[in-house]
């Protein structure tokens, strides 16, 4: 799928903000640990993806009621839904100077993804750090997508084509205002 950046300025996909706080010491320390064994940007991006996918459980899968939304909090509390985990991965990528943004799928609710633009690559590559479980096998790939949930048009599911430099305001508001994960499940947007 060809993504359409919501801004042509690539520096926007390297910036820090309230949710993607890649200048936070916890994000920087995690990035430094991951980059120590990564000889290039591809190896680092894959390591960061696998770290978020595999070591930070999706709060629904883990039965964790906590809601996180800021990247540093996701790393500290080791929990988050797809959107929060996407914020953490984008922060880790940007911490190492790799352009990354947020994109979404319209499933039953809006599902959060990441897109990365590695050196030498012409296109943005979508990745899904949601976390694997039986029936879900998301992988870091540049040759083709291997997302947790491929959109099924016959079920009115869509891949939304816009690439955002910052979290979509509707998604961020839901995360910030949620009392707990069950409350969040009632308020997650079904469209953007």
């Amino acid at each position: 799928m060809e993504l359409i950046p919501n801004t042509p300025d690539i520096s926007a996909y390297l910036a820090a903000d309230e949710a993607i706080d890649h200048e936070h010491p916890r994000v920087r320390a995690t990035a430094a640990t991951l980059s120590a064994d990564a000889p290039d940007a591809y190896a680092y991006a894959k390591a960061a993806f696998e770290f978020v996918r595999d070591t930070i459980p999706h709060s629904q899968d883990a039965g964790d009621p906590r809601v996180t939304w800021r990247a540093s909090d996701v790393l500290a509390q080791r929990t988050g839904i797809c959107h929060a985990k996407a914020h953490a991965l984008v922060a880790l990528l940007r911490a190492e100077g790799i352009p990354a943004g947020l994109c979404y799928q319209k499933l039953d609710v809006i599902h959060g993804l990441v897109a990365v633009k590695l050196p030498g690559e012409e296109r943005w590559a979508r990745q899904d750090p949601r976390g694997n479980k039986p029936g879900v096998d998301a992988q870091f790939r540049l040759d083709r997508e291997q997302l947790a949930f491929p959109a099924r048009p016959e079920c009115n599911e869509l891949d939304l084509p816009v690439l955002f430099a910052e979290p979509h305001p509707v998604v961020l508001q839901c995360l910030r205002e949620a009392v707990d994960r069950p409350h969040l499940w009632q308020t997650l947007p079904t469209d953007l």
Side-chain angles (χ1 to χ4, degrees):
M1 157 171 209
E2 188 70 32
L3 291 169
I4 304 163
N6 72 334
T7 176
D9 183 3
I10 195 75
S11 69
Y13 297 96
L14 293 166
D17 63 34
E18 190 177 14
I20 302 169
D21 58 341
H22 67 73
E23 296 170 347
H24 189 280
R26 180 170 288 109
V27 177
R28 290 289 187 194
T30 304
T33 299
L34 293 170
S35 68
D37 295 326
D40 58 29
Y42 176 86
Y44 175 79
K46 184 177 182 191
F49 169 84
E50 290 174 349
F51 175 82
V52 172
R53 183 195 64 192
D54 298 343
T55 70
I56 301 171
H58 189 285
S59 57
Q60 173 72 18
D61 296 348
D64 192 327
R66 296 175 294 166
V67 175
T68 54
W69 56 271
R70 184 178 287 120
S72 58
D73 293 338
V74 174
L75 295 175
Q77 295 181 37
R78 297 285 193 190
T79 191
I81 68 164
C82 60
H83 301 289
K85 292 181 69 164
H87 298 170
L89 179 55
V90 168
L92 289 171
L93 294 168
R94 290 181 184 182
E96 290 296 311
I98 299 171
L102 300 155
C103 48
Y104 302 94
Q105 289 178 304
K106 181 185 181 303
L107 305 175
D108 289 339
V109 295
I110 296 299
H111 178 61
L113 304 170
V114 170
V116 60
K117 188 162 178 47
L118 290 174
E121 295 292 324
E122 292 186 25
R123 65 177 193 86
W124 291 88
R126 292 191 311 165
Q127 310 296 331
D128 191 343
R130 180 223 180 270
N132 290 339
K133 63 180 186 174
V136 175
D137 183 28
Q139 298 295 323
F140 185 85
R141 301 186 69 134
L142 299 180
D143 59 336
R144 65 176 178 84
E145 291 183 342
Q146 191 166 338
L147 306 176
F149 308 109
R152 300 169 299 172
E154 68 276 10
C155 297
N156 293 321
E157 297 176 349
L158 301 169
D159 289 314
L160 302 175
V162 178
L163 175 63
F164 295 89
E166 298 175 346
H168 192 283
V170 172
V171 170
L172 190 56
Q173 180 180 355
C174 287
L175 290 169
R176 292 176 71 175
E177 293 178 356
V179 175
D180 57 20
R181 188 183 33 76
H183 175 254
L184 177 63
W185 249 233
Q186 297 172 7
T187 62
L188 277 174
T190 57
D191 205 353
L192 294 179

